[in-house]
Amino acid sequence: MTQTIRYTLVGLGNIGRNLLDILAHRQAAIEADYGLSFCLVGAADTSGAALSAEGLDPARVRDLKLEGQGVAFYPGVGRPGMSAQAMVEEAVAEMLVEASPTNLQDGQPGMGCILRALEKGQHVVTANKGPLVLAFHKLSAMAREAGVKLLYSGTVAGGLPTINIGIRDLAGSEVLKVEGILNGTTNYILTRMEQEGISYEEALKGAQAAGIAEADPTLDVDGWDAANKLVIVANSVLRRPTALSELHVEGIRGLTLDDLRRAREAGKVIKLLALAEKEGDDYRLSVRPTALDKEHPLARTGLWDMGVVYHTDYMGVISAVIEEKGPVPTSAAVLRDMINVYAG
Amino acid sequence: MTQTIRYTLVGLGNIGRNLLDILAHRQAAIEADYGLSFCLVGAADTSGAALSAEGLDPARVRDLKLEGQGVAFYPGVGRPGMSAQAMVEEAVAEMLVEASPTNLQDGQPGMGCILRALEKGQHVVTANKGPLVLAFHKLSAMAREAGVKLLYSGTVAGGLPTINIGIRDLAGSEVLKVEGILNGTTNYILTRMEQEGISYEEALKGAQAAGIAEADPTLDVDGWDAANKLVIVANSVLRRPTALSELHVEGIRGLTLDDLRRAREAGKVIKLLALAEKEGDDYRLSVRPTALDKEHPLARTGLWDMGVVYHTDYMGVISAVIEEKGPVPTSAAVLRDMINVYAG
């Protein structure tokens, strides 16, 4: 027996658009495997929104975006200029999927949409880090009180199940240390420098050409993206209320080929490491370029890899690495969260 | 607000005893973190059983076992000669934890206990592979109909969250290939042969001395343990009804140092690989010594490691490796399942 789940989608950049593409292809399989039928009742982007109680066609919305159009141009039900929050307000749904760009000033527009959805008793799946970095405890508490799920496995390293492993698979054991390569852009840059002997500037240009670094790469290369992810890990997996300002954060901008060579000669590899290490009753949290022993589980991560290592008391040392060549795995992570609200 | 969960425990070998030890240490933390208080109302081993509605003391049962005594000697409430199934029948509980030795002939005594617990509407957490290998679909269906959980993450590679990653983290994506090093004993043997240049026989003796290979090592070295685990993966993660007899299974008994050397010269490493590979609408399933490229995620697994690699359509390639030096992580996996029945 199939359960129909009405959802709204905020954000139709890579993540939102690829999600719709996956859903268009996997609709029948999801129904067969999980008894779930996801029905898109509202979508919003910078052009406005579109609303339909009968459901918008994910493939049609995807194609509009591929043609460079806004969702407000969806035939018949487009609402030019409508804000995402207004769309969430008007739509009747069981779930909000939030995929708007991360904004670390005030988390908007995602924050407003998530708050409204939780107030309306909707489950929330988010790939947007901002609201979680800024207000993790408030949002978690609201979800708990409303008796709904707030899932965000796609926020910490794309498809890598960092959050899920930390919360679910280590339940009952204590986490002594977390080591992560959580930002793909900087791992790509460092790997190219290491393997090809090119300069940081050249490797950065390569990353920009490959579409995995922005014109302004600050968020990635100065370590802030990795830091945001570590904040989410600390709040969720380590149950430690944590603000971004508490972390020591250092990026890769100053690294030279000489630095890499000296590390190599000492049998090590330099990686941008996000680290949480137990110290008494607390954890020390940092993001900094770190010389890892070449036998370290993360030392051999490559151009398209991200990874995490959990050191525990009873569960040994568990490491997980993902190879993801592009943005699709993040959308796949959003989909797994949508399914796991009901199937998990 | 704390929820008290009454559970029975069948099997007090390493897995059961270490589980009680962890619970004794982590009782307060589990209550604080999850609001759960596990109460041991019945336990059974080869001596008989003990039952107490008020709850047996996990530390006391653990100590009895460490002293070489059977649980039937628990003061006041011991029941010498009582069968595990009779204990499960009599106890009033929300959950059965099954940790008796794997028996692949008929799955007993675990099979009877699990069936009875499911009939009584109890959740079941099992580290015992036998019943799952022999009757996965019957047991899953019973759990589903009873509206209870049947969890078994500790059955496939100790603490490694093979099953959990496969089921939860890949939900919505398609698994194209699964590669696993699922048996620790054979990985220990092959790693020692590779690193120290000792013979198979010598490495096996070392494994026996280290307590990780039995006097009769057949189950491990002939690939059957890995095959059982692959059967569980196929039934659960791949949703493919699978019997042990369908697998091509080949162990490591015939491997020589020459084989390893030839592989090394070709830039490869020989590992006992459990493999599921999509072929049309089905999967080919096998366990056999396989020459892995030395850059393969599993090629560098060491003495105490097990690992799995999931190749997917939308989620990239996800690999996970655990380093576990002994049996405790399997018990920790049982504990995570106990918690995740309620918290997951």
Side-chain angles (χ1 to χ4, degrees):
Chain A
M1 182 144 72
T2 305
Q3 198 183 170
T4 298
I5 310 299
R6 296 166 299 187
Y7 74 104
T8 59
L9 174 59
V10 173
L12 291 164
N14 278 334
I15 298 176
R17 199 192 65 244
N18 285 325
L19 173 67
L20 294 179
D21 186 56
I22 298 175
L23 279 163
H25 283 108
R26 301 282 290 156
Q27 171 125 352
I30 292 168
E31 213 163 303
D33 293 341
Y34 302 100
L36 297 171
S37 177
F38 290 106
C39 182
L40 178 66
V41 296
D45 64 17
T46 47
S47 72
L51 284 146
S52 163
E54 288 71 48
L56 304 164
D57 178 2
R60 195 131 192 217
V61 178
R62 171 202 67 199
D63 291 342
L64 266 177
K65 299 303 299 180
L66 286 171
E67 290 156 20
Q69 299 264 43
V71 73
F73 291 90
Y74 194 103
V77 293
R79 307 278 283 273
M82 186 182 212
S83 73
Q85 209 167 321
M87 182 277 290
V88 170
E89 185 62 57
E90 188 169 318
V92 179
E94 280 69 56
M95 178 186 292
L96 162 70
V97 178
E98 228 297 320
S100 47
T102 290
N103 163 356
L104 290 148
Q105 259 56 63
D106 57 13
Q108 299 295 7
M111 181 78 87
C113 294
I114 292 177
L115 284 168
R116 197 66 196 106
L118 291 174
E119 280 163 12
K120 291 174 77 162
Q122 298 178 6
H123 300 289
V124 172
V125 173
T126 177
N128 178 359
K129 293 181 274 298
L132 294 172
V133 173
L134 295 171
F136 185 93
H137 273 264
K138 172 176 176 175
L139 299 177
S140 313
M142 283 181 71
R144 215 165 25 246
E145 275 146 37
V148 296
K149 302 242 173 117
L150 169 63
L151 299 184
Y152 44 92
S153 78
T155 60
V156 184
L160 185 69
T162 312
I163 296 296
N164 289 355
I165 291 174
I167 290 180
R168 175 200 65 214
D169 299 323
L170 307 184
S173 292
E174 188 175 22
V175 176
L176 306 174
K177 183 161 74 170
V178 187
E179 296 168 302
I181 291 179
L182 305 177
N183 176 264
T185 305
T186 43
N187 207 45
Y188 175 96
I189 290 171
L190 289 175
T191 301
R192 287 202 66 186
M193 288 175 71
E194 182 77 37
Q195 291 181 351
E196 301 171 43
I198 59 179
S199 70
Y200 163 78
E201 288 77 18
E202 250 196 278
L204 170 57
K205 286 207 186 85
Q208 288 165 327
I212 61 171
E214 309 284 336
D216 175 6
T218 310
L219 201 65
D220 294 319
V221 302
D222 284 349
W224 294 111
D225 176 69
N228 289 329
K229 289 163 175 171
L230 185 57
V231 167
I232 294 173
V233 170
N235 275 288
S236 60
V237 176
L238 305 180
R239 294 188 203 84
R240 180 197 187 282
T242 302
L244 186 58
S245 55
E246 301 180 58
L247 273 60
H248 173 97
V249 182
E250 204 181 309
I252 67 166
R253 228 189 255 268
L255 286 177
T256 64
L257 285 170
D258 259 357
D259 294 322
L260 269 52
R261 180 186 48 77
R262 266 194 303 272
R264 194 165 47 248
E265 285 165 1
K268 296 181 190 288
V269 177
I270 294 185
K271 294 293 192 184
L272 185 64
L273 195 74
L275 174 68
E277 198 159 18
K278 202 145 179 40
E279 195 176 53
D281 275 341
D282 199 0
Y283 290 90
R284 254 179 324 169
L285 304 163
S286 66
V287 172
R288 52 161 64 93
T290 308
L292 299 177
D293 192 275
K294 63 176 167 52
E295 297 305 316
H296 188 286
L298 301 179
R300 303 173 68 82
T301 50
L303 284 181
W304 307 104
D305 298 345
M306 290 180 287
V308 65
V309 185
Y310 283 110
H311 300 253
T312 74
D313 55 355
Y314 293 121
M315 193 95 68
V317 180
I318 296 180
S319 54
V321 173
I322 192 167
E323 179 194 78
E324 50 178 82
K325 295 180 178 171
V328 173
T330 300
S331 301
V334 171
L335 176 58
R336 77 177 164 221
D337 283 358
M338 291 171 72
I339 292 170
N340 285 330
V341 165
Y342 300 94
Chain B
M1 183 142 74
T2 305
Q3 197 183 170
T4 297
I5 311 299
R6 296 166 298 187
Y7 74 104
T8 59
L9 174 59
V10 173
L12 291 164
N14 277 333
I15 297 175
R17 197 191 67 244
N18 284 326
L19 172 67
L20 294 180
D21 185 56
I22 298 174
L23 278 163
H25 284 108
R26 302 282 288 157
Q27 169 125 353
I30 292 168
E31 212 161 305
D33 293 341
Y34 303 100
L36 297 171
S37 177
F38 290 106
C39 182
L40 178 66
V41 295
D45 64 16
T46 48
S47 72
L51 284 146
S52 163
E54 288 71 47
L56 304 164
D57 178 1
R60 195 132 192 213
V61 178
R62 170 203 66 200
D63 292 343
L64 265 178
K65 300 303 298 180
L66 286 171
E67 290 156 23
Q69 300 266 39
V71 74
F73 290 90
Y74 193 103
V77 294
R79 309 277 284 271
M82 186 182 209
S83 74
Q85 209 167 318
M87 182 278 289
V88 170
E89 185 62 58
E90 186 168 319
V92 179
E94 280 68 55
M95 178 187 291
L96 162 70
V97 178
E98 226 297 322
S100 48
T102 290
N103 163 356
L104 290 147
Q105 260 55 63
D106 55 14
Q108 300 294 5
M111 181 78 87
C113 294
I114 291 176
L115 284 168
R116 197 67 196 106
L118 291 173
E119 282 163 10
K120 291 174 78 163
Q122 297 179 5
H123 299 290
V124 173
V125 173
T126 178
N128 178 359
K129 294 182 273 297
L132 295 171
V133 173
L134 296 171
F136 185 93
H137 272 263
K138 172 176 178 175
L139 298 178
S140 312
M142 283 181 71
R144 217 166 22 248
E145 274 146 36
V148 295
K149 301 242 173 113
L150 169 63
L151 299 184
Y152 44 92
S153 78
T155 61
V156 185
L160 185 68
T162 311
I163 296 296
N164 288 354
I165 291 174
I167 291 180
R168 309 253 176 94
D169 299 324
L170 307 184
S173 292
E174 188 176 23
V175 176
L176 306 174
K177 184 161 73 170
V178 188
E179 296 168 303
I181 291 179
L182 305 177
N183 176 263
T185 305
T186 43
N187 208 44
Y188 175 95
I189 290 170
L190 289 174
T191 301
R192 287 201 67 187
M193 287 175 72
E194 181 77 36
Q195 292 182 350
E196 300 172 46
I198 58 178
S199 69
Y200 163 80
E201 288 77 18
E202 249 196 279
L204 170 57
K205 285 208 186 84
Q208 287 163 328
I212 60 171
E214 309 284 337
D216 174 6
T218 309
L219 201 65
D220 294 318
V221 302
D222 285 348
W224 295 112
D225 176 70
N228 288 330
K229 290 163 175 171
L230 185 58
V231 167
I232 294 174
V233 171
N235 275 288
S236 59
V237 176
L238 306 180
R239 292 187 204 85
R240 178 198 189 283
T242 302
L244 187 58
S245 55
E246 301 178 60
L247 274 59
H248 171 97
V249 183
E250 205 181 307
I252 67 166
R253 228 187 254 268
L255 286 177
T256 64
L257 285 170
D258 259 357
D259 294 322
L260 269 51
R261 180 186 47 78
R262 266 193 302 271
R264 194 164 50 246
E265 284 165 3
K268 297 181 189 288
V269 176
I270 293 185
K271 294 294 192 183
L272 184 65
L273 196 74
L275 175 68
E277 198 159 17
K278 204 150 179 38
E279 195 175 53
D281 275 340
D282 199 0
Y283 290 91
R284 254 180 323 171
L285 302 163
S286 66
V287 173
R288 55 161 62 93
T290 308
L292 299 177
D293 192 277
K294 62 175 165 57
E295 296 306 317
H296 188 286
L298 301 178
R300 302 174 68 82
T301 50
L303 284 182
W304 307 103
D305 299 344
M306 291 181 286
V308 65
V309 185
Y310 284 109
H311 301 252
T312 74
D313 56 356
Y314 293 122
M315 194 97 65
V317 180
I318 294 181
S319 55
V321 173
I322 191 167
E323 180 195 76
E324 51 178 80
K325 295 179 180 172
V328 173
T330 299
S331 301
V334 171
L335 176 57
R336 77 178 165 217
D337 284 357
M338 292 171 71
I339 292 170
N340 284 330
V341 166
Y342 299 95

